[in-house]
C-alpha cells in the first residue's frame, strides 16, 4: 500500500516540476504583457534579435531585466522566509525580521537624500548594500556573543526601528519636496525602469545568498525535533544560524537594493506552500523560491495591467494581493480545524 | 571494550554548576536507570552524554575522547530523546522517524533504500506502521512516545539516552516502553534513562545511578541503591520494599518527618 506523506501533501517531485513550469510560463507572460502588447512569436524574435526597432528595445532593455529581477527578488524573498521560519520554528518569521530590509532601505534613502543617487545609476543600490552589510555585521557581532536566536530577533527589531527613524529623519529634514517624494516612492518597492545593470549588480549577491540559504535544508529538518535533538543528530546549529543570517543578509540586502522594500512575499509564500510539501522544512525551500518568483512576477504583471499609466508600486500591490489572500487562508484553515 | 566511562564529569548551565565530579563506567549492555529528585542533574547528565551540552572532566566513548568524536559520527552511535515530545511542524509520522536517518545521509542527500528500510523496521518494532502517514500532532501521548522512540531506533545507536520516557504514559504504555528498552539491551545496546517512578526503576533496570545535587550518591543494582536510608536522605521520603508473587518493588509511603540535613 502506498500513501502520500500526509493527507494534503502532493507528490513532491511532480509538484516542484509543476511550480517550475508555472514559473517559466509566468516569466514568458511577464515579457509579453505590458503597455506595448507583444505576441509570443514577435517576442521570441525580438529577444534574440539585434536590430534596433521598438519591440526589440522594449523587450531587451525593459521587459527582460524586469522579469529577471522579479523572478530573482521573489525567489530570494520566498526562500529566505522559508529558511527563517524553519530556523525559528515560527510561521510568522519573515526576512524583514532581521532588519535587513529596513537597513537597505535606509542606505537607499541616504543616497536619494544626499543627491548621490542622481550622480550614478549604481549609487543607490551600492549605498543600500553598504547599509545592509553594516546591519549584518552588527547582527553577526551579536551572534558571536550569544547563542540565543531571540536576541538576534530583538536586535533585528531594534535595527528596524532605528533604520525607520533615520529614514523618517531624512524625510523630515528634506528641503526638496521632490526628493521626499522620490524617497517615499522608492520605499514602496518597484521594478519599473530597472536595467540590465541592476541585474548584473544584484544577481550575483542574490545567487550567493540563495546558495547559503539552501545549505541549511538538512538542519532545518532536524530542527523540527527541537534544538537538542538536532544537535544530537549531528547538526551544527551555530553554522546553520550563520548560514541563514548571512544568506538572508546578502540575498535580501541585494534584492532590496534594486527593488526597494517588498513585503509579504517572505511571509505568505512559505505559509501557503508548507502543507503542500508535507510540512517538511527542507522540501519547502525550493518550493518557496519558485513560489516567490511566481508570486512577484505575477503581481508585477498586475501592476502593469491594472493601472498602466499610473506606475502602481509593486510593494503596494504585493500587500494588497497578499494580505486579503492571507486573511482568507487563515479563515479557511480555522474553519477546517473546527 | 568499555562503551562509556565518565571520570570527574562536570557540567554547568550558565554559571550554575549542575554536575559535580560524576564518575561511572559501562562495560556491558545494561538497562540503566538514572534516578534522583527534581533538579538533581539527571537531564543535564543525559544531555552531556548526548553531546548537546559541553562538559568538563573526562568522558570516553568506546575508548575515544567524547569531545573529539565528530558530531555526525557521534550521532550514528548515540541517540537522545528529550523529555518533551515536541515536533514543531505538522509532519507525518514516517517523516519524523526518517529524521533518525539524518546522520547517515550526505549533505542534501536523499533517503536511500537502506534508510527507508531502517525507518520501516523501526516503525514495525514500535508498532506504529499504521500511523506512518498520520500527522504526528494528532496522535495520543502514548502513540507519540512510540513514534519518537522509533525515530531513536532508526538511528541504530549503540547507546540510547532517554529523558523520562515514561512521563505522562498510562501503566500499560509504561510497561510496554520498558519492555522495548529491555529488548534493546538484549540486542546488545546500552540504554540509560531517567526515571521518577522508583517502582518502575526497581522492576526493570539492571542498574541504577542515583544523583543528588549533581553528585553520584549511589551506583549499583536496584536492591542496593534503593535502601530506605538512602532514599530518606536523598528524596526525603519513607519507602518500603513490597514483595509480590511476581516481583519486588519499592514504594514511597510517606514524607520523612525528620529529614537528614544535607550539605549544599
Amino acid at each position: 500500500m502506498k500513501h502520500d506523506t500526509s493527507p494534503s501533501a502532493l507528490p513532491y517531485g511532480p509538484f516542484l516540476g509543476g511550480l517550475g513550469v508555472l514559473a517559466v510560463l509566468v516569466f514568458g507572460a511577464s515579457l509579453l504583457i505590458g503597455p506595448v502588447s507583444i505576441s509570443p512569436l514577435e517576442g521570441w524574435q525580438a529577444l534574440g534579435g539585434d536590430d534596433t526597432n521598438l519591440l526589440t528595445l522594449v523587450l531587451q532593455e525593459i521587459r527582460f531585466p524586469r522579469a529577471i529581477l522579479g523572478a530573482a527578488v521573489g525567489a530570494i524573498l520566498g526562500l529566505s522566509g522559508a529558511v527563517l521560519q524553519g530556523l525559528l520554528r515560527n510561521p510568522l518569521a519573515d526576512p524583514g525580521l532581521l532588519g535587513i530590509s529596513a537597513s537597505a532601505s535606509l542606505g537607499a534613502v541616504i543616497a536619494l537624500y544626499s543627491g548621490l543617487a542622481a550622480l550614478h545609476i549604481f549609487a543607490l543600490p551600492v549605498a543600500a548594500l553598504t547599509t545592509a552589510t553594516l546591519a549584518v555585521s552588527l547582527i553577526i557581532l551579536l551572534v558571536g556573543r550569544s547563542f540565543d536566536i531571540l536576541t538576534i530577533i530583538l536586535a533585528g527589531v531594534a535595527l528596524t526601528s532605528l533604520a525607520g527613524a533615520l529614514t523618517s529623519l531624512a524625510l523630515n529634514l528634506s528641503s526638496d519636496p521632490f526628493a521626499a517624494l522620490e524617497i517615499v516612492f522608492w520605499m514602496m518597492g518597484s521594478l519599473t525602469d530597472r536595467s540590465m545593470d541592476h541585474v548584473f549588480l544584484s544577481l550575483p549577491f542574490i545567487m550567493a545568498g540563495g546558495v547559503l540559504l539552501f545549505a541549511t535544508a538538512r538542519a532545518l529538518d532536524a530542527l523540527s525535533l527541537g534544538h537538542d535533538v538536532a544537535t544530537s543528530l549531528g547538526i551544527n546549529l551555530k553554522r546553520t544560524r550563520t548560514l541563514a543570517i548571512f544568506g538572508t543578509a546578502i540575498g535580501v540586502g541585494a534584492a532590496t537594493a534594486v527593488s526597494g522594500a517588498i513585503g509579504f512575499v517572505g511571509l505568505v509564500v512559505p505559509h501557503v506552500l508548507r502543507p503542500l510539501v508535507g510540512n517538511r522544512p527542507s522540501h519547502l525551500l525550493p518550493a518557496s523560491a519558485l513560489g516567490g518568483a511566481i508570486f512577484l512576477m505575477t503581481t508585477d504583471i498586475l501592476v502593469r495591467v491594472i493601472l498602466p499609466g499610473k506606475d502602481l508600486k509593486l510593494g503596494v500591490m504585493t500587500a494588497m494581493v497578499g494580505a486579503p489572500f492571507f486573511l482568507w487562508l487563515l479563515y479557511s484553515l480555522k474553519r477546517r480545524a473546527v | 571494550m568499555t562503551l562509556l566511562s565518565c571520570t570527574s564529569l562536570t557540567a554547568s548551565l550558565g554559571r550554575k554548576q549542575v554536575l559535580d565530579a560524576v564518575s561511572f563506567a559501562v562495560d556491558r549492555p545494561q538497562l540503566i536507570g538514572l534516578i534522583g529528585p527534581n533538579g538533581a542533574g539527571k537531564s543535564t547528565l543525559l544531555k552531556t552524554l548526548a553531546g548537546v551540552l559541553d562538559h568538563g572532566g573526562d568522558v570516553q566513548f568506546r575508548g575515544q575522547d567524547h569531545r573529539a568524536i565528530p558530531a555526525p559520527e557521534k550521532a550514528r552511535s548515540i541517540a537522545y530523546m528529550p523529555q518533551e515530545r515536541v515536533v514543531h511542524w505538522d509532519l507525518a509520522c514516517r517523516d519524523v522517524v526518517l529524521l533518525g536517518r539524518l546522520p547517515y545521509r550526505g549533505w542534501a542527500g536523499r533517503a536511500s533504500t537502506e534508510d527507508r528500510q531502517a525507518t520501516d523496521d523501526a516503525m514495525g518494532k514500535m508498532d506504529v506502521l499504521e500511523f506512518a502517514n498520520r500527522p504526528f500532532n494528532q496522535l495520543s501521548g502514548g502513540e507519540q512516545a512510540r513514534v519518537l522512540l522509533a525515530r531513536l531506533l532508526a538511528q541504530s545507536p549503540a547507546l540510547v539516552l532517554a529523558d523520562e520516557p515514561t512521563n505522562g504514559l498510562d501503566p500499560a504504555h509504561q510497561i510496554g516502553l520498558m519492555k522495548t528498552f529491555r529488548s534493546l539491551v538484549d540486542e546488545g545496546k546500552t540504554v540509560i534513562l531517567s526515571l521518577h517512578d522508583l517502582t518502575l526503576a526497581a522492576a526493570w533496570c539492571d542498574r541504577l545511578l542515583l544523583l543528588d545535587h549533581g553528585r553520584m550518591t549511589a551506583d549499583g543494582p536496584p536492591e542496593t541503591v534503593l535502601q530506605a536510608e538512602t532514599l530518606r536522605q536523598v528524596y526525603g521520603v519513607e519507602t518500603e520494599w513490597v514483595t509480590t508473587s511476581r516481583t519486588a518493588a519499592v514504594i514511597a509511603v510517606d514524607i520523612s518527618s525528620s529529614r537528614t540535613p544535607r550539605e549544599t
Side-chain angles (χ1 to χ4, degrees):
Chain A
M1 196 163 50
K2 193 172 157 40
H3 296 283
D4 290 328
T5 43
S6 95
S8 55
L10 305 166
Y12 181 57
F15 177 63
L16 216 54
L19 279 179
V21 170
L22 191 59
V24 170
L25 289 177
V26 175
F27 186 85
S30 170
L31 292 178
L32 302 179
I33 299 171
V36 181
S37 185
I38 304 172
S39 79
L41 185 65
E42 286 171 329
W44 183 251
Q45 287 165 342
L47 199 57
D50 51 5
D51 47 341
T52 49
N53 69 35
L54 181 68
L55 270 190
T56 313
L57 212 65
V58 165
L59 214 69
Q60 291 185 349
E61 301 291 321
I62 300 175
R63 300 268 175 90
F64 189 64
R66 189 167 179 167
I68 293 264
L69 284 178
V73 170
I76 198 73
L77 289 174
L79 176 61
S80 163
V83 168
L84 292 176
Q85 290 178 12
L87 182 71
L88 303 176
R89 284 158 282 158
N90 187 331
L92 294 177
D94 172 273
L97 205 65
L98 295 177
I100 309 291
S101 309
S103 310
S105 293
L106 176 65
V109 168
I110 291 173
L112 288 168
Y113 177 69
S114 62
L116 274 175
L119 296 180
H120 193 278
I121 178 174
F122 277 179
L124 187 149
V126 166
L129 263 176
T130 309
T131 45
T133 311
L134 280 175
V136 174
S137 314
L138 206 67
I139 288 174
I140 298 294
L141 263 176
L142 285 163
V143 172
R145 281 181 154 262
S146 152
F147 197 75
D148 189 11
I149 197 83
L150 195 66
T151 316
I152 298 161
I153 296 178
L154 290 175
V157 171
L159 220 54
T160 306
S161 309
L162 183 65
L166 291 174
T167 305
S168 302
L169 184 70
L171 278 173
N172 193 186
L173 297 181
S174 175
S175 51
D176 178 2
F178 186 71
L181 199 64
E182 212 176 350
I183 289 172
V184 171
F185 273 159
W186 191 86
M187 286 197 305
M188 290 176 183
S190 170
L191 292 174
T192 312
D193 297 335
R194 303 303 193 265
S195 67
M196 284 311 280
D197 292 332
H198 289 99
V199 174
F200 293 135
L201 179 71
S202 63
L203 204 57
F205 288 102
I206 292 179
M207 281 166 68
V211 169
L212 296 184
L213 290 172
F214 269 119
T216 61
R218 242 162 65 95
L220 296 184
D221 272 351
L223 269 171
S224 319
L225 295 180
H227 189 281
D228 290 345
V229 176
T231 308
S232 80
L233 283 169
I235 300 297
N236 183 341
L237 291 176
K238 204 162 182 170
R239 177 177 164 272
T240 305
R241 206 185 36 198
T242 310
L243 283 173
I245 292 173
F246 262 114
T248 298
I250 299 171
V252 175
T256 312
V258 291
S259 70
I262 292 172
F264 247 84
V265 182
L267 180 66
V268 175
V269 169
H271 196 83
V272 170
L273 294 174
R274 179 170 293 114
L276 302 177
V277 296
N279 296 297
R280 287 181 62 175
S282 62
H283 283 184
L284 187 58
L285 303 191
S288 294
L290 287 171
I294 293 169
F295 179 65
L296 203 65
M297 286 190 290
T298 310
T299 29
D300 192 40
I301 292 173
L302 288 177
V303 159
R304 284 176 255 171
V305 172
I306 293 176
L307 286 173
K310 284 285 187 188
D311 187 24
L312 189 57
K313 295 298 180 189
L314 185 58
V316 177
M317 198 66 194
T318 54
M320 276 177 54
V321 173
F325 181 68
F326 198 51
L327 286 173
W328 170 79
L329 192 82
L330 293 176
Y331 178 71
S332 62
L333 281 178
K334 175 101 178 172
R335 270 212 309 202
R336 214 192 305 163
V338 173
Chain B
M1 196 207 301
T2 308
L3 181 76
L4 178 71
S5 82
C6 303
T7 316
S8 311
L9 168 69
T10 57
S12 308
L13 292 176
R15 251 179 267 163
K16 185 172 182 275
Q17 186 170 357
V18 181
L19 293 178
D20 183 12
V22 171
S23 300
F24 70 98
V26 184
D27 48 13
R28 66 200 145 85
Q30 281 181 319
L31 180 49
I32 301 174
L34 192 56
I35 59 171
N38 290 330
K42 301 188 294 295
S43 298
T44 304
L45 178 56
L46 289 173
K47 280 185 193 178
T48 305
L49 297 178
V52 175
L53 274 181
D54 210 10
H55 63 83
D58 184 41
V59 178
Q60 301 267 328
F61 182 75
R62 286 174 167 159
Q64 262 185 297
D65 180 6
H66 188 274
R67 264 173 299 202
I69 307 172
E73 195 186 317
K74 211 182 301 186
R76 290 191 282 268
S77 319
I78 305 176
Y80 165 71
M81 189 161 93
Q83 198 172 334
E84 56 282 353
R85 295 187 267 271
V86 177
V87 172
H88 285 282
W89 304 108
D90 216 0
L91 291 180
C93 289
R94 174 170 280 132
D95 289 335
V96 172
V97 179
L98 194 57
L99 287 175
R101 299 301 296 175
L102 220 58
Y104 296 88
R105 283 152 64 184
W107 191 85
R110 291 169 64 90
S112 64
T113 16
E114 197 183 323
D115 292 330
R116 303 210 169 270
Q117 190 58 48
T119 303
D120 280 356
D121 288 350
M123 295 186 87
K125 191 157 186 189
M126 288 316 298
D127 198 20
V128 290
L129 269 173
E130 55 175 317
F131 308 136
N133 303 298
R134 294 254 309 271
F136 176 86
N137 293 326
Q138 289 178 12
L139 302 182
S140 74
E143 291 163 346
Q144 290 187 341
R146 272 152 62 201
V147 170
L148 289 180
L149 206 59
R151 189 278 297 171
L152 203 124
L153 297 188
Q155 218 172 322
S156 53
L159 174 62
V160 170
L161 306 165
D163 200 350
E164 296 189 28
T166 57
N167 217 5
L169 300 186
D170 61 39
H173 280 110
Q174 289 190 349
I175 292 174
L177 216 54
M178 294 310 282
K179 279 191 164 168
T180 308
F181 287 127
R182 191 75 258 167
S183 72
L184 291 180
V185 174
D186 294 340
E187 283 172 22
K189 300 180 196 301
T190 288
V191 178
I192 305 180
L193 38 101
S194 64
L195 288 169
H196 267 309
D197 188 331
L198 298 179
T199 314
L200 220 50
W204 291 94
C205 294
D206 300 316
R207 174 180 174 188
L208 295 181
L209 305 176
L210 177 58
L211 275 180
D212 185 29
H213 283 76
R215 299 215 180 112
M216 190 78 84
T217 312
D219 174 1
E223 52 277 16
T224 55
V225 170
L226 299 174
Q227 302 265 348
E229 179 54 33
T230 316
L231 296 177
R232 185 179 304 128
Q233 279 192 17
V234 173
Y235 283 93
V237 291
E238 298 299 326
T239 52
E240 284 172 17
W241 275 89
V242 180
T243 314
T244 70
S245 58
R246 300 192 54 179
T247 185
V250 66
I251 55 168
V253 290
D254 199 1
I255 296 172
S256 302
S257 47
S258 62
R259 197 164 163 174
T260 323
R262 286 179 289 188
E263 47 180 331
T264 33

